[in-house]
Amino acid sequence: MYTIGLLADLAARTLVKGDWELSPRGIHFIVEASGCGEVITDVSKLQDILVEAVKQANAQVWSVSFNLFPPNGVSGVVVISESHLSVHTWQEENYMALDIYTCGDKSEPFKAVEYVLKKVDAKRSHITEISRGLDDDDHVFYHSFITWEEILKKNGSQN
Amino acid sequence: MYTIGLLADLAARTLVKGDWELSPRGIHFIVEASGCGEVITDVSKLQDILVEAVKQANAQVWSVSFNLFPPNGVSGVVVISESHLSVHTWQEENYMALDIYTCGDKSEPFKAVEYVLKKVDAKRSHITEISRGLDDDDHVFYHSFITWEEILKKNGSQN
């Protein structure tokens, strides 16, 4: 998965690197986080983490919506300028699905990814970075992607 | 991009089709829509389209947040059970970035994708379907994906 995802990204980048410049409208990180701590069951704390993550990404909060789903799952979304952050958690699996999607040259979305993974005490992550809204000066938009995995704690996935 | 994305997905599916069953926690469609109509500048109409799309997907709305970004961009998110729909639009490019992410066996997210693309009068779409939260019974979560393109109107991307 890692190798093929990487090849796909390299192929896409090669295709667009001619006389024109690669200029995505947004960067979108899709993250599966494993071995997360109890904090993923806490609506208030998760909301605080995502709002702080927006600052880490050098973006600004427009609106926030977090809900608890029985028994202990949390769904939350933070809308920022022309993009968003979201988190959906499964307590019984210690699993969190995280999306961090930002626009603009000044944003630093991967800082937000690292911040959230650290704060929820994730043990492993599987990440795809998607360059959204690429075009070859023809207004026909597409995306490219690269995928990788990270082991964040030595005790791996055994919790 | 199409071919390699497809190979990546087939490889991922092959890897997990052994003695265990592929069982994603969610299905997430990432869509770049080109040649969209004027409706992508209208906050109220876009919100109505996304809320109706939730019904098309056989899901239920938990919360809604839509905003206008100067001069004519719209950002909107609808939170549903353990997942979400989002739309971000660039009026001057006739471009819409759409995410439709649902959980559960009863949801039909691609119906929502088709509904939104039709309602915004998109001419072309580049779509990646991501199976979120796959694991091999070991609580180590990952995702797989497949990518394709659709020409929805004969006049292509020229508006």
Side-chain angles (χ1 to χ4, degrees), chain A residues 75-106:
Chain A
S75 270
V77 175
V78 183
V79 178
I80 61 177
S81 178
E82 294 169 332
S83 44
H84 66 271
L85 284 70
S86 73
V87 64
H88 306 292
T89 70
W90 282 252
Q91 179 264 341
E92 69 280 14
E93 311 265 26
N94 300 105
Y95 163 58
M96 176 184 71
L98 173 69
D99 284 51
I100 293 189
Y101 179 5
T102 66
C103 297
D105 294 338
K106 293 178 180 174

Side-chain angles (χ1 to χ4, degrees), chain A residues 15-89:
Chain A
L15 282 173
V16 299
K17 278 191 174 172
D19 294 333
W20 55 87
E21 191 180 350
L22 191 71
S23 179
R25 301 300 180 283
I27 299 294
H28 188 167
F29 287 95
I30 303 274
V31 183
E32 318 300 319
S34 304
C36 301
E38 284 295 312
V39 68
I40 67 168
T41 67
D42 189 314
V43 176
S44 175
K45 286 182 181 172
L46 260 187
Q47 180 170 320
D48 289 346
I49 289 170
L50 266 285
V51 167
E52 177 58 31
V54 173
K55 294 181 188 169
Q56 297 285 323
N58 201 28
Q60 287 185 322
V61 173
W62 278 73
S63 63
V64 178
S65 174
F66 275 70
N67 300 284
L68 178 68
F69 289 93
N72 291 307
V74 176
S75 270
V77 175
V78 183
V79 178
I80 61 177
S81 178
E82 294 169 332
S83 44
H84 66 271
L85 284 70
S86 73
V87 64
H88 306 292
T89 70

